[in-house]
Every structure is written in C-alpha cells, then in structure tokens.
Amino acid sequence: MLLKFKTPVLLVTMAFVLLTSANCGQELPLKELALAKAQVERAENLKAGEYSPDEFQEARKSLTEANDYAAEEKASESKKSADYAISKAYDALEKTLPKLTAKAREEAVASLDAAEEANAAETSPESFQAATAAKDAGDAKLTEADQSLAAYLREESDETLKEQKRSKALNEYEEAYQLYLTSKKTGMDAKTAALGKSDGIRQSADEVDATLQKASRYSNGINPSVEEEKARIQSAYADIEAGRLKTAEEKIKIARAASGPLLASSVRDHAKERNSQARDVVEDANARFGELNSDTLLKASATKDSYGSAQENLGAANESLTSSSNLYEQEKYEDSLSQSEEAIRLAEISIDQVETLKSSNPKLAKTDRGTTSTVGTENKKKDTTQSSEEDGSDSAAGSRLKSLGKGWKQYTVGKSNPADCLWRIAKREDVYKNSTLWPRIFEANRKQIKNKNLIYPNQKLKIPPKKGKIGNPPGK
C-alpha cells in the first residue's frame, strides 16, 4: 500500500527552509527526500512488497527515518537516511521489475492466444493488431532492459556510471511492463468483441447439426461417418462455450463439407430401402385383397362400401409405389421416400380393411377361383386343404414349428408362396387358427421385428399362447 505521511513532505521541507534561512543552519536535503519518497512509492506500485519484501521494507523504514530527522532539523542524518532509502528502493526494483515484467509478458501472450482462439484476428482486427503491436514493442523494450541490466552488472570502475546504467535498465523494464499491460488489456477487449459474435457461429453449427441429424435418422444411426461428424459438431459447441471460436469454426467447416454428401448418400440408401419395403407391403396387400370374393362382397350392402374403400386405398398404394420407383430412378430421393411412406400407409389401411372383412365373415374369402366357402363336411375339408397350401403348413412347413413349453412355440420363417407374414402364421392350424391374433406374435418379437409387415426367411419367432398375458417364453 502507498506510504502515507501525517504532514506532507513538501510542507515540512518548506518549514525547515525558513528555519535554516533564519538561523543560518544547514539546509535540509529536499531533493533527496523527494526522490526517496518517489522511488519508494514507485517500488510499492510495482509490487516490490511481493517480489522483494526485505529491500522494500528497508526502503520504507529509511524514508520514515529521513522524514523524522528532517522534522528534528537533523539535516545530515536526514540526507543519509534518504540516500539509503533511495538505494534500497532501487535494490527492490532491481529484483522486482525483471520478474514482474516476465509475468506481465506471460499474461499478455495468454490474452493474445485467447483472443486468437476467439478468432479476434478476423472479427476484431484493429484491437487484435494493436494488442499484438504492444506485445512486440514490449519484447523489444525487454531486450533493451536485459542488455542494460547486464551492462550495469559489468560496470565496476565508475559508481556514478553504474547507477546511471541501473536506472536506465529499471526504466526500460518498467516501459516493457506497461506495454505488456496494454497488450493484455487490448487483447482481452478484442476477445470480448469477438465473443459477441459467437451467436452467429453457434447458428452455423446448428445448421450443420440439423443436416447431420437428418442423415443419422436416414441411416438409423449406424453410419460411422455420420456419427463422427456429429461428434465433431458437439466438440465445436464445447469450443464455442469455452471461447475457442477459431477452433470451433474450423470444425464446423470440416463438418459442413462432409454433411452434404453424407446426407445425400443416406437419403439415397434409405429411399432404396423404403421403396423395397413399400413394394413388399403393397404386394402383401394385393395378395390379401385378391383372396376376397368380390362378387359376394359387392352384392352385400353391408360390405360393398368397405370393399370399395379397401380397393380404392390399394389402388392409391400401387400408384404411390410406382411413383416412388420412378422418382428414385430420377434421383429425387426425398420425393421417392415420401411416396414410399404413402404407399406403405395406404397399403396398411387396405390390409386392415381386408382383414376386418374376413374376420367379420370368413365365408367372404375365396376357397378356389370364383367360389365362396359353404357349410358342409366336404367343403370344410376343401377349405382346410386350401389353407394348408396357402399357409405352408405342409410337412416341410410343420418342421419349422417346435414347442418351447408352457404353451409357447418357436416358428422359423420360411420362403413359401405366398410369403410368410404374421397374419398367415397366426392363421395356421397349428398356431392360432385365427389371422386376427397376429398382434400377439408381433408383441412377443418386438426386439427383432421393426416393421410388422416385414419378416424375413430364417427368422426365429416366439409364438406365445393363444390367450392370456403374453409375458416371456420359458427360460427367459
């Protein structure tokens, strides 16, 4: 803290000037007292109490003694104490300034590095350049100070010259120190101004992230290249929060360049996959609809409208499927996707309508070309034969079903004609004998069935009991 005196030095010295003039005594050392006071205050301001506490305390003590002697009109003792205070203040500064300046330089460099990380060179060029110039000037002055201090330490013959060289070195260190302080402050200002523009960089990251999220959805999160770029963007967000805007922008630039092609390839692959899935669902819907007896359904007022609606949805599903395929060939992948989704949606509606018609009156389904099933032993036998052919429940198909115990079975999906599907499996004589119970199979196998309309050959499906809570198969 600053050295304070109850009576200003100037007033004290002026009073003694009058006394000495009146008494013709020895003059007080006004010049030395003023210089001692200035150097002790300088040392205090430059943190000599922290870097050179012993020398600084001696300087302060001697300055106090010099003033006390002056108050007692002891001019000789006052001058001696003042000279010693000056010398110790210089000793304290000699130890302090090189360390203090070095620390200030480190802080200036750190400030410039932080400003550069915040991309201040691009967004706040004037402040950044000013901070850099101050730091460079500080470096030049520090070099001069080191050289002057070395010259002071080598001087042995002339004490006056030696003190002049030391004073020059101390002044140069202080100049370097002030330049580094300016560089530090200006660098911080440049960083603050640059960070004010972080919202724009974050928005840029958001745009790239949205593209990558879309690509990830299309690839079901299994494309390693997409996931790598998503991680890069997350790292960029962390850099933005930490003020490393330059690094963030570099990462965003890399991710942006990769995101477009990744999205395009993901959309293309997904569009191809969904077109294939749509084709399977629409073909299944066509097959189911073909099993209905149109003549009987159209004649009955209770079923005419439902049949017509199922037929209309199926026709629209086929049109959407055709459109999806054509758009894919034209490389309009997102439009192709949209049409595939529509084809699947309409086909599933048609399937539900067909199954509702069948479950409401089984006699409405065809048993052979143009003939409806009738009650009677002979026709029932014929129905059973037809069902066995359709469901694949012949000896080969039967071998695909095995018991798991407690009413559970395991069914291995086969490639039969028509293709296996959940409702056909549910309809089998050795399963549920009821196609409308297919949701039980779906619920029991959710982990491996992602689309209820798509199962694949050799899949092993768990068949829960026909009634009761589904739960888990034995051994689970």
Side-chain angles (χ1 to χ4, degrees), residues 197-256:
K197 301 178 182 179
S198 63
D199 286 346
I201 299 174
R202 185 177 283 102
Q203 183 177 357
S204 179
D206 289 343
E207 292 170 359
V208 178
D209 186 50
T211 300
L212 292 170
Q213 292 293 348
K214 193 173 184 181
S216 182
R217 288 195 299 273
Y218 283 139
S219 60
N220 294 319
I222 59 174
N223 186 325
S225 296
V226 174
E227 300 310 306
E228 179 182 354
E229 296 308 321
K230 283 174 61 182
R232 194 190 307 279
I233 284 295
Q234 293 306 312
S235 178
Y237 281 127
D239 287 335
I240 292 171
E241 291 301 319
R244 299 187 293 268
L245 302 188
K246 183 178 180 181
T247 304
E249 285 196 304
E250 290 172 353
K251 292 177 180 178
I252 293 168
K253 183 178 179 181
I254 294 171
R256 184 183 293 280

Side-chain angles (χ1 to χ4, degrees), residues 143-160:
T143 300
E144 293 179 18
D146 288 338
Q147 292 171 349
S148 296
L149 184 63
Y152 152 72
L153 294 173
R154 289 195 300 269
E155 184 62 46
E156 296 179 356
S157 58
D158 191 330
E159 286 299 324
T160 301

Side-chain angles (χ1 to χ4, degrees), residues 440-455:
R440 293 183 66 81
I441 304 176
F442 178 59
E443 288 298 327
N445 295 273
R446 273 188 177 276
K447 288 186 178 179
Q448 62 170 315
I449 302 177
K450 305 302 180 184
N451 184 329
K452 62 180 180 293
N453 295 304
L454 291 176
I455 57 176

Side-chain angles (χ1 to χ4, degrees), residues 56-217:
F56 176 67
Q57 292 301 330
E58 276 200 69
R60 284 213 311 181
K61 179 181 177 182
S62 295
L63 177 59
T64 301
E65 291 175 350
N67 281 288
D68 290 342
Y69 284 133
E72 296 170 3
E73 302 182 36
K74 297 178 180 179
S76 177
E77 288 84 348
S78 178
K79 182 179 183 305
K80 184 178 179 180
S81 293
D83 286 340
Y84 188 72
I86 293 169
S87 176
K88 297 313 292 183
Y90 279 142
D91 288 345
L93 288 169
E94 183 182 332
K95 283 188 176 181
T96 296
L97 278 168
K99 297 176 183 178
L100 182 68
T101 305
K103 182 178 180 182
R105 185 182 188 280
E106 290 177 3
E107 293 173 349
V109 170
S111 177
L112 276 171
D113 288 344
E116 187 174 10
E117 284 186 340
N119 207 24
E122 297 293 331
T123 58
S124 305
E126 292 184 5
S127 295
F128 184 77
Q129 289 169 11
T132 302
K135 183 260 178 187
D136 291 342
D139 287 346
K141 188 58 68 175
L142 179 59
T143 300
E144 293 179 18
D146 288 338
Q147 292 171 349
S148 296
L149 184 63
Y152 152 72
L153 294 173
R154 289 195 300 269
E155 184 62 46
E156 296 179 356
S157 58
D158 191 330
E159 286 299 324
T160 301
L161 181 59
K162 184 172 184 176
E163 284 304 312
Q164 289 176 351
K165 289 181 177 179
R166 176 159 79 161
S167 179
K168 182 174 183 291
L170 296 180
N171 290 338
E172 287 169 345
Y173 275 120
E174 189 171 0
E175 288 180 45
Y177 170 67
Q178 295 298 334
L179 285 166
Y180 287 137
L181 290 184
T182 299
S183 175
K184 175 184 175 182
K185 181 182 183 304
T186 311
M188 291 173 65
D189 291 342
K191 176 185 175 182
T192 300
L195 292 178
K197 301 178 182 179
S198 63
D199 286 346
I201 299 174
R202 185 177 283 102
Q203 183 177 357
S204 179
D206 289 343
E207 292 170 359
V208 178
D209 186 50
T211 300
L212 292 170
Q213 292 293 348
K214 193 173 184 181
S216 182
R217 288 195 299 273

